Amino acid sequence: MRKKLFTALVVIAVICTVVLTASAVTGAPDTSPFDTSLLLPVTEKFDIEKVVSSWGGGYASLTENDTLLAEIDSSDNVEIGYTVTTDGTFFAPFIAHENNLYASKYMVLQVKNSSQPIALAIKHQAFCETVTAYIGISGNEEYPVVMVNDNGEYQRAGVEFIRDAWYIKLPADFSGYIVIPNERLTSDTSESNTEGIGDYMSLHTEQNYRFFWLLGLVLENLSDEPAELEWVNMYAVAAKLDFDLPAFTPTVAPTEAPTDVASQGASVAPTVAPTEVASQGASVAPGQSTAAAQQSGGFPTWAWIVIAVVAVAIIVVVIVAASKKKKEN
């Protein structure tokens, strides 16, 4: 009788462990709402050598896989372009998919970064007869730019104004997709443009602009070592993507040291607020991928497993102790 009771209790304990573990794992959020099946082609690779150009501290060239490789000098910047020539070259693979841009909600760049951090600004040229509009991004964080790596893990991209445009900051060794909402795309890339919806789509619908006769990027090397960025492809996404992101809090400018203290040579550390603060219920902390934030009901998965294992151990100890006591009696 005692053996049967012991066996039953052990089985119950094991079942409890499995259930707790399963509930912890299934309670974790999905890795990403982004899926490559949603990608609508725009460029179909970069495959025409004569329309590749570059200016500044670097160089751009095609790879054997028909991707565009940019080499950036240390602590420098380079502008690269994939351009329509006077004979219409580059239009052929592009024009067949141009309508994907008009029906889209996002512009997506697929890139592979080297071992150095860089900043990337979009500089596409839309055209209307003889008039050109340069399309970049605004500073409006109401519509976040999202980085999705090759594993589907995502995070809000850092965006910073550098010189004359808003740049997306890519960490070293990033490989994946930069997802940019259409609301963020605009011909006004000034530092003061941090509110409202960009005019990217209205240029087409209201002023008959067509996109594009140049696809361009400006790349800023944020390190003192040479860097590379491979621009793999460009896509559009028509579906709405519900990324679960932390709330955004603007960076506070450093607090200047008082003049009387500074004059004495004292060093005062600047006070800088974090760029992002996780909102309640958000699954991703600043700079953290979704994979690192998976948990159940706000309680980490590993904690549920530890609790279950400890519970099993206690039950077994109690049963063994009770059995010994009965034998002694």
Side-chain angles (χ1 to χ4, degrees), residues 239-260:
K240 181 66 176 176
L241 303 176
D242 293 322
F243 291 106
D244 187 7
L245 294 168
F248 175 81
T249 301
T251 302
V252 177
T255 303
E256 295 183 2
T259 53
D260 58 338

Side-chain angles (χ1 to χ4, degrees), residues 55-75:
W55 309 266
Y59 182 74
S61 61
L62 294 184
T63 70
E64 60 182 10
N65 297 319
D66 292 335
T67 62
L68 210 164
L69 181 65
E71 302 174 49
I72 319 159
D73 297 339
S74 57
S75 304

Side-chain angles (χ1 to χ4, degrees), residues 15-63:
I15 291 174
C16 290
T17 302
V18 172
V19 170
L20 285 171
T21 303
S23 65
V25 172
T26 56
D30 293 335
T31 303
S32 174
F34 179 84
D35 189 283
T36 54
S37 65
L38 300 173
L39 295 174
L40 304 173
V42 172
T43 55
E44 283 193 358
K45 300 285 189 178
F46 305 94
D47 58 357
I48 306 172
E49 179 70 41
K50 66 180 179 180
V51 299
V52 176
S53 53
S54 58
W55 309 266
Y59 182 74
S61 61
L62 294 184
T63 70

Side-chain angles (χ1 to χ4, degrees), residues 137 143-147 155-157 159 168 178-181 184:
I137 67 170
Y143 305 99
V145 177
V146 178
M147 297 186 301
Q155 65 186 87
R156 180 193 291 268
V159 176
I168 301 163
I178 305 170
V179 183
I180 306 164
R184 198 77 181 257

